[in-house]
Coordinates of all heavy atoms in Angstrom, one line a residue:
M9 N 6.1 29.0 -93.4 CA 6.8 28.6 -92.3 C 6.7 27.2 -91.9 O 7.8 26.4 -91.6 CB 6.4 29.4 -91.0 CG 6.8 30.8 -90.9 SD 8.6 30.9 -90.9 CE 8.7 32.7 -91.0
Q10 N 5.6 26.6 -92.1 CA 5.4 25.2 -91.9 C 6.2 24.3 -93.0 O 6.7 23.2 -92.6 CB 3.9 24.9 -91.9 CG 3.2 25.4 -90.7 CD 1.6 25.0 -90.8 OE1 1.3 23.9 -91.0 NE2 0.8 25.9 -90.5
S11 N 6.2 24.8 -94.3 CA 7.0 24.0 -95.3 C 8.3 24.0 -94.9 O 9.2 23.1 -95.1 CB 6.7 24.7 -96.6 OG 5.4 24.7 -96.9
I12 N 8.9 25.2 -94.4 CA 10.3 25.3 -94.1 C 10.6 24.2 -92.9 O 11.6 23.7 -92.9 CB 10.7 26.8 -93.7 CG1 10.6 27.7 -94.8 CG2 12.1 26.8 -92.9 CD1 10.6 29.2 -94.5
G13 N 9.7 24.3 -91.9 CA 9.9 23.3 -90.8 C 9.9 21.9 -91.3 O 10.6 21.1 -90.8
A14 N 8.9 21.6 -92.2 CA 9.0 20.2 -92.8 C 10.3 20.0 -93.5 O 10.9 18.8 -93.4 CB 7.7 20.1 -93.7
A15 N 10.8 20.9 -94.3 CA 12.0 20.7 -95.2 C 13.1 20.5 -94.1 O 14.1 19.6 -94.5 CB 12.2 21.9 -95.9
I16 N 13.2 21.2 -93.0 CA 14.4 21.1 -92.1 C 14.2 19.6 -91.5 O 15.3 19.0 -91.3 CB 14.3 22.1 -91.0 CG1 14.7 23.6 -91.7 CG2 15.4 21.8 -90.0 CD1 14.5 24.8 -90.8
Q17 N 13.0 19.3 -91.1 CA 13.0 18.0 -90.5 C 13.4 16.9 -91.5 O 14.1 15.9 -91.0 CB 11.5 17.7 -90.0 CG 11.4 16.4 -89.3 CD 10.1 16.3 -88.7 OE1 9.1 16.7 -89.2 NE2 9.9 15.3 -87.7
T18 N 13.0 17.0 -92.7 CA 13.5 16.1 -93.7 C 15.0 16.1 -93.8 O 15.6 14.9 -94.0 CB 12.8 16.3 -95.0 OG1 11.3 16.2 -94.8 CG2 13.1 15.3 -96.2
L19 N 15.6 17.2 -93.8 CA 17.1 17.3 -93.9 C 17.8 16.7 -92.8 O 18.8 15.9 -92.9 CB 17.4 18.9 -93.9 CG 18.9 19.1 -93.9 CD1 19.4 19.1 -95.3 CD2 19.2 20.6 -93.4
L20 N 17.1 16.9 -91.5 CA 17.8 16.3 -90.3 C 17.7 14.7 -90.3 O 18.7 14.0 -90.1 CB 17.1 16.8 -89.0 CG 17.1 18.3 -88.8 CD1 16.6 18.6 -87.4 CD2 18.4 18.9 -89.0
L21 N 16.5 14.2 -90.8 CA 16.3 12.8 -90.9 C 17.4 12.2 -92.0 O 17.9 11.1 -91.8 CB 15.0 12.5 -91.4 CG 13.9 12.7 -90.1 CD1 12.6 12.5 -90.5 CD2 14.2 11.8 -89.0
A22 N 17.6 13.0 -93.1 CA 18.4 12.4 -94.2 C 19.8 12.4 -93.7 O 20.6 11.5 -93.9 CB 18.2 13.3 -95.4
A23 N 20.2 13.5 -92.9 CA 21.6 13.5 -92.3 C 21.8 12.4 -91.4 O 22.9 11.8 -91.3 CB 21.8 15.0 -91.7
Q24 N 20.8 12.1 -90.6 CA 21.0 11.0 -89.5 C 21.2 9.6 -90.4 O 22.0 8.8 -89.8 CB 19.7 10.9 -88.8 CG 20.0 9.9 -87.6 CD 18.8 10.0 -86.6 OE1 17.8 10.7 -86.8 NE2 19.1 9.4 -85.4
D25 N 20.6 9.5 -91.5 CA 20.8 8.2 -92.4 C 22.3 8.1 -92.8 O 22.9 7.1 -92.9 CB 19.9 8.2 -93.6 CG 18.7 7.6 -93.5 OD1 18.6 6.8 -92.4 OD2 18.0 7.5 -94.3
F26 N 23.0 9.3 -92.8 CA 24.4 9.3 -93.2 C 25.3 9.4 -92.0 O 26.5 9.7 -92.1 CB 24.8 10.7 -94.1 CG 24.2 10.5 -95.5 CD1 23.0 11.1 -96.0 CD2 24.9 9.8 -96.4 CE1 22.5 10.9 -97.2 CE2 24.5 9.7 -97.7 CZ 23.2 10.3 -98.0
K27 N 24.7 9.1 -90.8 CA 25.5 9.1 -89.6 C 26.1 10.5 -89.2 O 27.0 10.7 -88.5 CB 26.7 8.1 -89.5 CG 26.2 6.8 -89.9 CD 25.6 6.1 -89.0 CE 25.4 4.5 -89.5 NZ 23.9 4.1 -89.4
L28 N 25.4 11.5 -89.7 CA 25.6 12.9 -89.3 C 24.9 13.5 -88.2 O 23.7 13.0 -88.0 CB 25.5 13.9 -90.5 CG 26.5 13.6 -91.7 CD1 26.0 14.3 -93.0 CD2 27.9 13.9 -91.3
G29 N 25.5 14.2 -87.2 CA 24.7 14.8 -86.3 C 24.3 16.2 -86.7 O 25.0 16.9 -87.4
T30 N 23.1 16.6 -86.1 CA 22.6 18.0 -86.5 C 22.1 18.8 -85.3 O 21.8 18.2 -84.3 CB 21.5 17.7 -87.6 OG1 20.4 17.1 -86.9 CG2 21.9 17.2 -88.8
L31 N 22.1 20.0 -85.5 CA 21.3 20.9 -84.5 C 20.5 22.0 -85.3 O 21.1 22.6 -86.1 CB 22.3 21.6 -83.6 CG 21.6 22.6 -82.7 CD1 20.8 21.9 -81.7 CD2 22.8 23.4 -81.8
W32 N 19.2 21.9 -85.1 CA 18.3 22.9 -85.6 C 18.4 24.0 -84.7 O 18.1 24.1 -83.6 CB 16.9 22.3 -85.6 CG 15.8 22.9 -86.1 CD1 15.6 24.2 -86.4 CD2 14.5 22.4 -86.5 NE1 14.4 24.6 -87.0 CE2 13.7 23.4 -87.1 CE3 14.0 21.0 -86.6 CZ2 12.5 23.2 -87.7 CZ3 12.8 20.9 -87.0 CH2 12.0 21.9 -87.6
I33 N 18.7 25.1 -85.4 CA 18.9 26.4 -84.6 C 18.0 27.6 -85.1 O 18.0 28.0 -86.2 CB 20.4 27.0 -84.7 CG1 21.4 25.8 -84.4 CG2 20.5 28.1 -83.9 CD1 22.8 26.3 -84.8
C34 N 16.9 27.9 -84.2 CA 16.1 29.0 -84.6 C 16.5 30.3 -83.8 O 16.1 31.4 -84.3 CB 14.6 28.7 -84.2 SG 13.8 27.7 -85.4
D35 N 17.4 30.2 -82.9 CA 17.9 31.2 -82.1 C 19.0 31.9 -82.9 O 20.1 32.0 -82.3 CB 18.2 30.9 -80.8 CG 18.7 32.0 -79.9 OD1 18.3 33.0 -80.1 OD2 19.3 31.7 -78.8
I36 N 18.7 32.4 -84.1 CA 19.8 33.0 -84.9 C 19.8 34.5 -85.0 O 20.6 35.1 -85.6 CB 19.8 32.3 -86.4 CG1 18.3 32.2 -86.9 CG2 20.4 31.1 -86.5 CD1 17.8 33.4 -87.5
F37 N 18.9 35.0 -84.2 CA 18.7 36.5 -84.4 C 19.7 37.3 -83.8 O 19.9 38.5 -84.2 CB 17.4 36.8 -83.7 CG 16.2 36.0 -84.2 CD1 15.8 35.1 -83.3 CD2 15.8 36.1 -85.5 CE1 14.8 34.2 -83.9 CE2 14.9 35.2 -86.0 CZ 14.2 34.3 -85.3
H38 N 20.7 36.8 -82.9 CA 21.8 37.6 -82.4 C 22.8 37.6 -83.4 O 23.8 38.4 -83.2 CB 22.2 37.1 -81.1 CG 22.6 35.7 -81.2 ND1 21.7 34.7 -81.1 CD2 23.8 35.1 -81.3 CE1 22.4 33.4 -81.2 NE2 23.6 33.7 -81.3
C39 N 22.8 36.9 -84.5 CA 23.9 36.7 -85.4 C 23.5 36.8 -86.8 O 24.3 36.4 -87.7 CB 24.9 35.5 -85.2 SG 24.0 33.9 -85.3
D40 N 22.2 37.1 -87.0 CA 21.7 37.2 -88.4 C 22.4 38.0 -89.4 O 22.7 37.8 -90.5 CB 20.2 37.3 -88.5 CG 19.8 38.5 -87.9 OD1 20.6 39.2 -87.2 OD2 18.5 38.9 -88.0
K41 N 22.8 39.1 -88.9 CA 23.6 40.2 -89.7 C 24.9 39.5 -90.3 O 25.2 39.7 -91.5 CB 23.9 41.4 -89.0 CG 22.8 42.1 -88.4 CD 21.9 43.0 -89.3 CE 20.8 43.6 -88.6 NZ 19.9 42.8 -87.9
E42 N 25.5 38.8 -89.4 CA 26.8 38.1 -89.9 C 26.5 37.0 -90.8 O 27.4 37.0 -91.9 CB 27.6 37.5 -88.6 CG 28.3 38.6 -87.7 CD 27.3 39.1 -86.7 OE1 26.1 38.8 -86.8 OE2 27.7 39.5 -85.7
I43 N 25.5 36.3 -90.6 CA 25.1 35.3 -91.5 C 24.6 35.8 -93.1 O 25.2 35.3 -93.9 CB 24.1 34.4 -91.0 CG1 24.5 33.7 -89.7 CG2 23.5 33.3 -92.1 CD1 23.4 32.8 -88.9
Y44 N 23.9 36.9 -92.8 CA 23.6 37.6 -94.3 C 24.8 37.9 -95.1 O 24.9 37.9 -96.2 CB 22.7 38.6 -93.9 CG 21.3 38.4 -93.5 CD1 20.7 39.4 -92.4 CD2 20.5 37.4 -93.9 CE1 19.4 39.1 -92.0 CE2 19.2 37.2 -93.6 CZ 18.7 38.0 -92.6 OH 17.5 37.8 -92.1
S45 N 25.7 38.4 -94.2 CA 27.0 38.9 -94.9 C 27.8 37.7 -95.4 O 28.3 37.9 -96.5 CB 27.8 39.7 -93.8 OG 29.0 39.9 -94.1
W46 N 28.0 36.6 -94.6 CA 28.7 35.5 -95.1 C 28.2 35.0 -96.3 O 28.7 34.5 -97.2 CB 28.7 34.4 -94.0 CG 29.4 34.6 -92.8 CD1 30.4 35.6 -92.5 CD2 29.3 34.1 -91.5 NE1 30.9 35.6 -91.3 CE2 30.3 34.7 -90.5 CE3 28.5 33.1 -91.0 CZ2 30.3 34.3 -89.3 CZ3 28.5 32.6 -89.7 CH2 29.5 33.4 -88.8
L47 N 26.7 34.8 -96.4 CA 26.1 34.2 -97.5 C 25.7 35.2 -98.6 O 25.3 34.7 -99.7 CB 24.8 33.5 -97.0 CG 24.9 32.6 -96.0 CD1 23.5 32.0 -95.5 CD2 25.8 31.3 -96.5
N48 N 26.0 36.4 -98.3 CA 25.8 37.6 -99.2 C 24.3 37.5 -99.7 O 24.0 37.4 -100.9 CB 26.7 37.4 -100.5 CG 26.7 38.6 -101.3 OD1 26.4 39.7 -100.8 ND2 27.0 38.6 -102.6
I49 N 23.3 37.3 -98.9 CA 21.9 37.2 -99.1 C 21.1 38.4 -98.4 O 21.5 39.0 -97.4 CB 21.3 36.0 -98.8 CG1 21.4 35.6 -97.2 CG2 21.9 34.8 -99.5 CD1 20.7 34.5 -96.7
K50 N 19.9 38.7 -98.9 CA 19.0 39.7 -98.4 C 17.8 39.0 -97.8 O 17.0 39.8 -97.4 CB 18.8 40.8 -99.3 CG 20.0 41.7 -99.6 CD 19.6 43.0 -100.4 CE 20.9 43.9 -100.6 NZ 22.2 43.4 -100.2
D51 N 17.5 37.7 -98.1 CA 16.4 37.1 -97.7 C 16.2 36.9 -96.2 O 17.2 37.0 -95.6 CB 16.2 35.8 -98.3 CG 16.4 35.8 -99.8 OD1 15.5 36.3 -100.6 OD2 17.4 35.3 -100.2
E52 N 15.0 36.9 -95.8 CA 14.8 36.7 -94.4 C 15.3 35.3 -93.9 O 14.9 34.3 -94.4 CB 13.4 36.8 -93.9 CG 13.2 36.8 -92.4 CD 11.7 36.7 -92.0 OE1 10.8 36.8 -92.9 OE2 11.3 36.5 -90.9
L53 N 16.2 35.3 -92.7 CA 16.7 34.0 -92.3 C 15.7 33.5 -91.3 O 15.4 34.2 -90.3 CB 18.1 34.3 -91.7 CG 18.9 33.0 -91.4 CD1 19.2 32.2 -92.6 CD2 20.2 33.4 -90.8
V54 N 15.3 32.2 -91.5 CA 14.4 31.6 -90.5 C 15.0 30.8 -89.4 O 14.7 30.7 -88.3 CB 13.4 30.9 -91.3 CG1 12.4 30.1 -90.3 CG2 12.5 31.8 -92.2
A55 N 16.1 29.9 -90.0 CA 16.7 29.0 -89.1 C 18.0 28.6 -89.7 O 18.2 28.9 -90.8 CB 15.8 27.7 -88.9
A56 N 18.9 28.0 -89.0 CA 20.1 27.5 -89.4 C 20.2 25.9 -88.9 O 19.5 25.7 -87.9 CB 21.3 28.3 -88.9
V57 N 21.0 25.2 -89.6 CA 21.1 23.9 -89.3 C 22.7 23.5 -89.2 O 23.4 23.8 -90.1 CB 20.4 22.9 -90.2 CG1 20.8 21.4 -89.8 CG2 19.0 23.1 -90.2
A58 N 23.2 23.2 -87.9 CA 24.7 22.8 -87.9 C 24.7 21.3 -88.1 O 23.9 20.6 -87.7 CB 25.1 23.1 -86.5
I59 N 25.6 20.8 -89.1 CA 25.8 19.5 -89.4 C 27.3 19.2 -89.3 O 28.1 19.8 -89.6 CB 25.4 19.2 -90.9 CG1 23.9 19.7 -91.2 CG2 25.5 17.8 -91.2 CD1 23.4 19.6 -92.5
G60 N 27.5 17.9 -88.6 CA 28.8 17.5 -88.3 C 28.8 16.1 -87.9 O 27.8 15.5 -87.8
Y61 N 30.1 15.6 -87.9 CA 30.3 14.3 -87.3 C 30.3 14.1 -85.9 O 31.1 14.8 -85.2 CB 31.5 13.6 -87.9 CG 31.6 13.5 -89.5 CD1 32.2 14.4 -90.2 CD2 30.9 12.4 -90.0 CE1 32.1 14.3 -91.7 CE2 30.8 12.1 -91.3 CZ 31.5 13.2 -92.2 OH 31.4 13.1 -93.6
P62 N 29.3 13.5 -85.2 CA 29.2 13.7 -83.8 C 30.2 12.9 -83.1 O 30.6 11.7 -83.6 CB 27.8 12.9 -83.5 CG 27.5 12.1 -84.7 CD 28.2 12.8 -85.9
N63 N 30.7 13.3 -82.0 CA 31.7 12.6 -81.2 C 31.2 12.0 -79.9 O 31.9 11.5 -79.1 CB 33.0 13.4 -81.0 CG 32.7 14.6 -80.2 OD1 31.6 14.8 -79.6 ND2 33.7 15.6 -79.9
E64 N 30.0 12.2 -79.7 CA 29.3 11.5 -78.7 C 27.8 11.1 -79.0 O 27.2 11.6 -80.1 CB 29.1 12.4 -77.4 CG 28.5 13.7 -77.5 CD 28.6 14.5 -76.4 OE1 29.7 14.7 -75.8 OE2 27.5 15.1 -76.0
S65 N 27.2 10.1 -78.3 CA 25.8 9.6 -78.7 C 25.0 9.9 -77.3 O 25.1 9.0 -76.4 CB 25.8 8.2 -79.1 OG 26.4 8.2 -80.2
P66 N 24.3 11.0 -77.2 CA 23.6 11.3 -75.8 C 22.5 10.2 -75.6 O 22.0 9.7 -76.6 CB 23.0 12.5 -76.1 CG 23.6 13.3 -77.4 CD 24.1 12.1 -78.2
Y67 N 22.2 9.9 -74.5 CA 21.2 8.9 -74.2 C 19.8 9.4 -74.6 O 19.6 10.6 -74.8 CB 21.1 8.6 -72.6 CG 20.7 10.0 -71.9 CD1 19.4 10.4 -71.5 CD2 21.8 10.7 -71.4 CE1 19.1 11.4 -71.0 CE2 21.4 11.9 -70.6 CZ 20.2 12.1 -70.5 OH 19.8 13.3 -69.8
P68 N 18.9 8.5 -75.1 CA 17.6 8.9 -75.6 C 16.9 9.7 -74.5 O 16.8 9.5 -73.3 CB 16.8 7.6 -75.8 CG 18.0 6.6 -75.9 CD 19.0 7.0 -75.1
R69 N 16.4 10.8 -75.0 CA 15.6 11.7 -74.0 C 14.3 11.1 -73.7 O 13.7 10.4 -74.5 CB 15.4 13.1 -74.6 CG 16.7 13.7 -75.1 CD 16.8 15.0 -75.1 NE 15.9 15.9 -74.8 CZ 16.1 17.3 -75.0 NH1 17.2 17.8 -75.4 NH2 15.0 18.0 -74.8
P70 N 13.7 11.4 -72.4 CA 12.4 10.8 -71.9 C 11.3 11.5 -72.9 O 11.5 12.6 -73.3 CB 12.3 11.3 -70.6 CG 13.3 12.4 -70.3 CD 14.4 12.2 -71.3
R71 N 10.4 10.6 -73.2 CA 9.3 11.1 -74.2 C 8.0 10.8 -73.4 O 7.9 9.9 -72.8 CB 9.3 10.2 -75.3 CG 10.5 10.3 -76.3 CD 10.6 11.7 -76.9 NE 11.8 11.7 -77.7 CZ 12.4 12.9 -78.0 NH1 11.9 14.0 -77.7 NH2 13.5 12.9 -78.8
K72 N 7.0 11.8 -73.6 CA 5.7 11.5 -73.1 C 5.1 10.6 -74.0 O 5.5 10.5 -75.1 CB 4.9 12.9 -73.3 CG 5.4 14.1 -72.3 CD 4.7 15.3 -72.4 CE 5.0 16.3 -71.5 NZ 4.6 17.7 -71.9
L73 N 4.0 9.9 -73.3 CA 3.3 8.9 -74.1 C 2.4 9.6 -75.3 O 2.1 10.6 -75.0 CB 2.4 8.0 -73.2 CG 3.2 7.2 -72.2 CD1 2.1 6.7 -71.1 CD2 3.9 6.1 -73.0
L74 N 2.3 8.9 -76.4 CA 1.5 9.5 -77.4 C 0.1 10.0 -77.0 O -0.2 11.2 -77.5 CB 1.3 8.5 -78.7 CG 0.9 9.0 -80.0 CD1 2.0 10.0 -80.5 CD2 0.7 8.0 -80.9
D75 N -0.5 9.3 -76.2 CA -2.0 9.6 -75.9 C -1.9 10.9 -74.9 O -3.0 11.5 -74.6 CB -2.7 8.5 -75.4 CG -2.1 8.0 -74.0 OD1 -1.1 8.5 -73.6 OD2 -2.7 7.0 -73.5
K76 N -0.7 11.3 -74.5 CA -0.6 12.4 -73.6 C -0.4 13.8 -74.4 O -0.6 14.8 -74.0 CB 0.6 12.3 -72.7 CG 0.5 11.1 -71.7 CD -0.8 11.4 -70.5 CE -0.7 10.2 -69.7 NZ -2.1 10.1 -69.1
V77 N 0.0 13.6 -75.7 CA 0.3 14.8 -76.5 C -0.5 14.8 -77.7 O -0.6 15.9 -78.5 CB 1.7 14.8 -76.9 CG1 2.7 14.9 -75.7 CG2 2.2 13.6 -77.7
V78 N -1.3 13.8 -78.0 CA -2.2 13.8 -79.3 C -3.5 13.6 -78.7 O -3.9 12.7 -77.9 CB -1.8 12.6 -80.3 CG1 -2.7 12.6 -81.4 CG2 -0.4 12.8 -80.8
K79 N -4.6 14.5 -79.4 CA -6.0 14.2 -79.2 C -6.5 13.8 -80.4 O -6.6 14.6 -81.4 CB -6.5 15.6 -78.5 CG -7.9 15.5 -78.2 CD -8.4 16.7 -77.6 CE -9.9 16.5 -77.3 NZ -10.4 17.7 -76.6
W80 N -7.2 12.5 -80.4 CA -7.8 12.0 -81.6 C -9.2 12.3 -81.6 O -9.9 12.2 -80.7 CB -7.7 10.5 -81.8 CG -6.2 10.2 -81.7 CD1 -5.4 9.6 -80.8 CD2 -5.4 10.0 -82.9 NE1 -4.3 9.3 -81.1 CE2 -4.2 9.6 -82.5 CE3 -5.5 10.5 -84.2 CZ2 -3.0 9.5 -83.3 CZ3 -4.3 10.3 -85.0 CH2 -3.2 9.8 -84.6
I81 N -9.8 13.1 -82.6 CA -11.4 13.5 -82.6 C -12.0 12.9 -84.0 O -11.3 12.7 -84.8 CB -11.5 14.9 -82.4 CG1 -10.5 15.9 -83.5 CG2 -11.0 15.4 -80.9 CD1 -10.8 17.3 -83.4
Ligands
LIG126 C1 11.9 24.4 -84.1 C2 13.2 24.1 -83.5 C3 14.1 25.1 -83.1 C4 15.2 24.7 -82.4 N1 16.1 25.8 -82.0 C5 17.2 25.6 -81.4 C6 18.1 26.7 -80.9 O1 17.9 27.9 -81.3 N2 19.1 26.4 -80.2 C7 19.4 25.2 -79.7 O2 20.4 24.9 -79.0 N3 18.5 24.1 -80.2 C8 17.4 24.3 -80.9 N4 16.6 23.3 -81.2 C9 17.0 21.9 -80.8 C10 16.2 21.4 -79.5 O3 16.8 22.4 -78.4 C11 16.6 20.0 -79.2 O4 17.9 19.8 -79.0 C12 16.1 19.2 -80.3 O5 14.7 19.5 -80.6 C13 16.3 17.7 -79.9 O6 15.6 17.5 -78.6 P1 14.6 16.1 -78.6 O7 15.6 15.0 -78.6 O8 13.9 16.3 -77.2 O9 13.7 16.3 -79.8 C14 15.6 23.5 -81.8 C15 14.6 22.6 -82.2 C16 13.4 22.7 -83.0 C17 12.5 21.7 -83.3

């Protein structure tokens, strides 16, 4: 699972380099049967990524300071 997450993050960063917009979707469980059918696969689906040309640029979201979310030991 962690490797899949790392791969998706790398995919999203690469897409951004091409000026593409993405959405990481883990909430695919309500439509996984349809996706299995479209892709003709039987493997477990973990996530989906929507990729497209964005028509808007949302403002940067507020971020917590690094020292509020990371504990160095
Ligand atoms: C592991 C993971 C799963 C996500 N699953 C969904 C999802 O199912 N539906 C959705 O609309 N966004 C999903 N997102 C996108 C987040 O809601 C959010 O838009 C994205 O992380 C960007 O927010 P940020 O700018 O605060 O990082 C997911 C993000 C991550 C990292």
Side-chain angles (χ1 to χ4, degrees):
M9 285 300 171
Q10 293 182 44
S11 299
I12 293 169
I16 293 174
Q17 182 174 24
T18 303
L19 175 81
L20 302 192
L21 292 170
Q24 189 166 13
D25 263 358
F26 286 99
K27 312 277 187 240
L28 292 166
T30 59
L31 177 62
W32 186 336
I33 309 168
C34 280
D35 185 19
I36 36 90
F37 307 106
H38 59 279
C39 60
D40 56 349
K41 306 282 183 302
E42 288 88 343
I43 295 173
Y44 290 141
S45 166
W46 293 338
L47 300 177
N48 196 24
I49 56 169
K50 293 194 176 357
D51 307 293
E52 181 188 358
L53 191 61
V54 172
V57 178
I59 302 176
Y61 294 101
N63 62 5
E64 61 183 47
S65 298
Y67 60 87
R69 308 220 337 196
R71 301 287 181 205
K72 292 178 182 168
L73 294 172
L74 193 60
D75 65 355
K76 299 287 182 209
V77 293
V78 175
K79 183 172 181 179
W80 302 100
I81 51 175

